[in-house]
Amino acid sequence: MNKETLIEHISKYFKTNGYNIKNLIHKESIGSYEAKQIEESFIHKTWKEIDIKLLIANKSALGFLSNEGFIYFLPAYMKLLILEFEAADVIVDDLLDKLLLPTEADIQLQYIEYKMEENRIADLDDFYHKEIKRTEDKIHNFISMTTLLNQEQSKTVLLFLMYIKDTYSGFFADDILDKVINRFWFQFK
């Protein structure tokens, strides 16, 4: 699928009936200075009104958006990556991370790699043990987020991921796109 067709597909299945988000910012982030800036930039705008410059200026927004806010603005982020992949910079990794179904194995592998390091900078055992325990919450959050999408929207996310993989696979050092697709989104083919 070419980028023009994919953008048309996104516009068709992610309609905008006006801004109707009750909780734009994730509850743990409410009150922080950065969350307030992001909320002021995004509030009362439809995803189609969010331009590329605003997304790039608010690179960390994905970490502050609630599930509802993320799903609502997901089409704007997909469009950003389709049109301005290199300019998106860290947003690429953040978006793929949000679309990746987490597993306990991910954090366990990171912990094993950390334990194998000879010159550890800090003792991170407690951190990794807490992260392993939090994985269940992350999985629950991912499932809650994805249930906000309908079948066609989920299929559009898959088409987007396949486009990014086909077009920009050389930009990724690991198999992150395969993980993102094969852990969850593959089912919408």
Side-chain angles (χ1 to χ4, degrees):
M1 180 175 290
N2 65 37
K3 66 180 169 183
E4 292 80 16
T5 306
L6 182 54
I7 290 170
E8 287 174 17
H9 203 82
I10 291 168
S11 293
K12 178 179 179 181
Y13 292 111
F14 287 89
K15 303 263 188 220
T16 54
N17 297 330
Y19 182 91
N20 58 356
I21 300 174
K22 292 183 177 104
N23 300 305
L24 177 64
I25 301 298
H26 199 278
K27 63 184 174 186
E28 283 85 21
S29 300
I30 292 175
S32 76
Y33 175 75
E34 196 168 3
K36 286 178 186 176
Q37 282 186 310
I38 291 163
E39 188 168 29
E40 287 173 12
S41 297
F42 284 58
I43 199 157
H44 301 298
K45 290 186 173 96
T46 67
W47 73 261
K48 290 183 178 182
E49 294 171 328
I50 300 288
D51 67 7
I52 289 171
K53 289 179 184 176
L54 181 66
L55 292 175
I56 291 172
N58 290 280
K59 288 182 181 183
S60 63
L62 285 170
F64 291 93
L65 294 175
S66 66
N67 285 344
E68 183 182 14
F70 171 70
I71 294 300
Y72 185 79
F73 289 110
L74 176 58
Y77 282 100
M78 291 190 297
K79 192 173 171 185
L80 167 66
L81 268 62
I82 293 165
L83 296 174
E84 297 289 340
F85 183 84
E86 290 185 42
D89 194 29
V90 298
I91 296 171
V92 175
D93 293 330
D94 291 347
L95 182 60
L96 293 177
D97 189 54
K98 290 280 281 188
L99 295 172
L100 175 65
L101 174 62
T103 68
E104 190 175 306
D106 291 333
I107 195 69
Q108 287 177 337
L109 287 172
Q110 290 174 2
Y111 181 62
I112 290 167
E113 289 171 1
Y114 156 75
K115 291 302 265 183
M116 292 174 67
E117 289 178 12
E118 291 183 27
N119 299 319
R120 289 185 219 136
I121 297 171
D123 184 11
L124 298 176
D125 285 332
D126 286 341
F127 167 78
Y128 280 111
H129 289 291
K130 287 176 186 173
E131 283 299 302
I132 290 168
K133 289 178 184 174
R134 282 190 35 202
T135 301
E136 197 170 298
D137 292 336
K138 290 179 181 180
I139 292 168
H140 181 267
N141 186 55
F142 179 87
I143 292 168
S144 296
M145 175 192 71
T146 57
T147 60
L148 298 173
L149 294 166
N150 65 36
Q151 188 76 16
E152 287 301 325
Q153 290 169 330
S154 295
K155 185 176 181 176
T156 302
V157 173
L158 174 62
L159 292 171
F160 160 76
L161 291 167
M162 291 169 56
Y163 172 85
I164 296 298
K165 181 180 176 184
D166 293 344
T167 308
Y168 300 108
S169 62
F171 284 82
F172 301 98
D174 59 10
D175 60 348
I176 186 67
L177 283 162
D178 287 330
K179 282 182 187 176
V180 174
I181 292 168
N182 293 330
R183 284 193 188 168
F184 182 78
W185 301 101
F186 73 93
Q187 65 187 306
F188 300 105
K189 280 189 178 173

